[in-house]
Amino acid sequence: MSDKVEKDEVSGTDTTGHEWDGIKELDTPMPRWWLWTMYGTIIWAIGYWIVMPAWPLISSHTAGFLGYSSRGSLEQELADATAAHAEDRNALVTMELSAVKNNSQLYQFALRGGKSAFAVNCSQCHGSGAQGAPGFPNLNDDDWLWGGDVDAIYETIKYGIRSDHDDTRIGEMPAFLTDEMLTKEQINDAAEYILSLSEKREDMAAVDRGQDVFMENCAACHGDKAKGGRDFGAPNLTDAIWFYGKDKDVILRTISRGRNNVMPAWVDRLDDATIRQLALYVHSLGGGE
Amino acid sequence: MVNSSVENIDVRPVNKKENRALFEKREKIQPKKARGNFRRLKWIIMGVTLAIYYITPWIRWDRGESGPDQAVLVDLARERFYFFFIELWPQEVYYITGLLILAAISLFLVTSLFGRAWCGYSCPQTVWTDLFIFVERMVEGDRNARLKLDKAPTSVSKFGKRLLKHSIWIVIGVLTGGAWVFYFADAPTLLRELFTFEAPVIAYSSVAVLTATTYVFGGLMREQVCTYMCPWPRIQGAMVDEDTLTVTYHSARGEPRGPHKKGESWTDRGHCIDCNQCVAVCPMGIDIRDGLQLECITCALCIDACNDVMDKIDLPRGLIGYDTHAGQFDSNPERKLDIRFIRPRTIAYGLILALVGAVMLFTLLNRSVLDVNVIRDRNPLFVTLSDGSIRNGYTVKILNKIHETRQFQIEVVGLKNAQAWIESGPPIGLPMIVTVPADALSSYKLFISAPAQNLPGKTSDIDVVVTDFKSNERDIQETSFKGPEK
């Protein structure tokens, strides 16, 4: 490179002195505004390192003078949101649940809150549309094991079913084969009888035998007419809704080994206002009584 | 002796192509005051446009109890746009598209007829720059005084003048930004809040940003905004043709130019006496005698300046004037303007304008004041009930676009033995009647159940009919009812 800066003849601009195949590279200066913007960003970055969390250390990081953290800001936002709704939440916990519907503003608040709480806490088992799955009830329909009015739903959510809470409700479907209460043949007869309640069966002799087995062993909880009983959470066996499925194999398995699913108690995990929102939301899904 | 009645100005058109090197510091343009018809027209247009800008938010318009009484209002919080008798909801934003098309085509039409008339007279950048130059002239004097002041050593009086000028500029900026925010909130309320420091932060920051941009664009950057930032000068080339009126220097008449002594003959020379008045008044820093160029905003001040000179030296006016491209080469000073307003281009623009305008007017006048949306639940698709019947869920949204509470009946048509009810609405079997508040959207959860054996297949087509109780206005929404595979 020559010591003297060479000028390009055409543009009058300095060249860098680099030349390829007769083409010389111009040394066009940066536009001022661009340069000052870049200096500005550097100064900004230094200020940012000082006031905001920036540099990783061995076990933590520099905290910054403003004391900002994204976790803290989220907590603050959540607290602000809760505080902003304080009035509605207080109204919700002091009011009869069945009366909330008459206050449309409060009801809408409850439904929206319930919807989001459902998505966070309930959808894992009951599905995002509350449509349920085998072993997890569909909350849209009109069939309720433990009662479908809003107070019953509230109680179910609050204390759970077969949960570890003292006030939980318990019902037990025994394991008739495992515990040697019935033989395989008897269980088959009982299943035939149960299926005969909602569809036509071919082996009527088995159905008749099954009716006796049912009356002796099942009617205590499921009722003489197999319509179920809410005191024990015993399902109605005559309707179109099947908790675990309508296949005979599934029914045989249920009678043989029993079923004791758990709905957790939410009283210690969610505040009362949220549980009430959830109860109202579930009640609004179409099957509420 | 040089013609004594005309001052010969030593002025350099700083934005002339040859004078404008890259990476050179901008040389400030100190435009001289022009006097004449176009200057007067510009003052009038400045007054009218500024008046429209400042007065519009204060015009009241009665919309009853449920609407704001401001004629023009962009209500971002409630998502409404009000313009006198027009009220738009967010989903009708396509009217804005129509408005933008109208604005663009109007600009094309005006440009093809009169060149950059928008730039020269009514563009906010031009209007505010003109206002800022006016202030500068009031405080520091006209061109010569300002040049002298620039060169003068620092003194109390120089500092005082500068301080006064910039202060007035900033006040204008504040008033500009201050007027802007009134379009977005109730003007009298916001004015009070602004002074009592109760206005929202966004209002203050909007005022601050617009103050800054007004001050910088109108006071400091001026012609650079037009030349470097605005895309329009680049587009105008496609709009201008040989019949477009532009500010034209009649070179055939003016050349060869040169100083002229009083009493000298005008034969064998042009009418331009090279006094540079046209350059001195130009706010863009160009020489119009170089022909039409990108920087020219056709503000026509050079026409005023040149006509003034022509009067003084007893030559016919119009050496610089509005003329078509062809006029440039006509040396006859008595030349009659022959403007072809009707050209394929203007006909096309006119037709598009009329068409889009008619469509907009028609849709606006026939705008429905009831809108219904029916959204089928997709999760779950359907629910089997204990008696074996199938239930579907729908969200029905009713938009009541008038400022009056209305009652609607919702009906479901097209499904045998179906039952329909609204969540927490009237009991099953009673008519589904809902009340929608004035100027509001209400959302309802609609359930429909039907015996499974009545369903023709997986999907049945049904209609949800919403009828206004009083006016019988009706909206029919087609939707479907889903069931299990048959």
Side-chain angles (χ1 to χ4, degrees), chain A residues 28-29 101 107 128-129 131 138 140-142 239-241 284-287, chain B residues 23 379-380 382-389 391 421 423-424 443 445 447:
Chain A
T28 310
K101 271 192 185 186
Y107 186 50
S128 58
Q131 73 276 27
N138 183 343
N140 292 284
D141 62 30
D142 57 346
D239 65 13
I241 295 170
S284 80
L285 292 174
Chain B
F23 309 111
N379 184 17
F382 61 86
V383 175
T384 306
L385 299 181
S386 52
D387 63 359
S389 60
R391 195 190 73 212
W421 69 98
E423 204 276 311
S424 65
S443 185
K445 186 83 206 180
F447 291 115

Side-chain angles (χ1 to χ4, degrees), chain A residues 132-191:
Chain A
F136 302 99
N138 183 343
L139 305 176
N140 292 284
D141 62 30
D142 57 346
D143 190 25
W144 300 92
L145 295 174
W146 298 91
D149 64 51
V150 68
D151 290 311
I153 296 171
Y154 171 68
E155 203 187 333
T156 301
I157 300 171
K158 194 169 181 185
Y159 301 121
I161 304 295
R162 301 179 198 97
S163 74
D164 48 10
H165 195 276
D166 292 341
D167 292 331
T168 192
R169 285 177 295 186
I170 297 172
E172 194 179 350
M173 174 70 193
F176 285 96
L177 184 69
T178 316
D179 294 345
E180 295 176 0
M181 293 152 82
L182 292 172
T183 64
K184 267 195 172 176
E185 290 70 33
Q186 284 174 309
I187 289 170
N188 183 60
D189 293 345

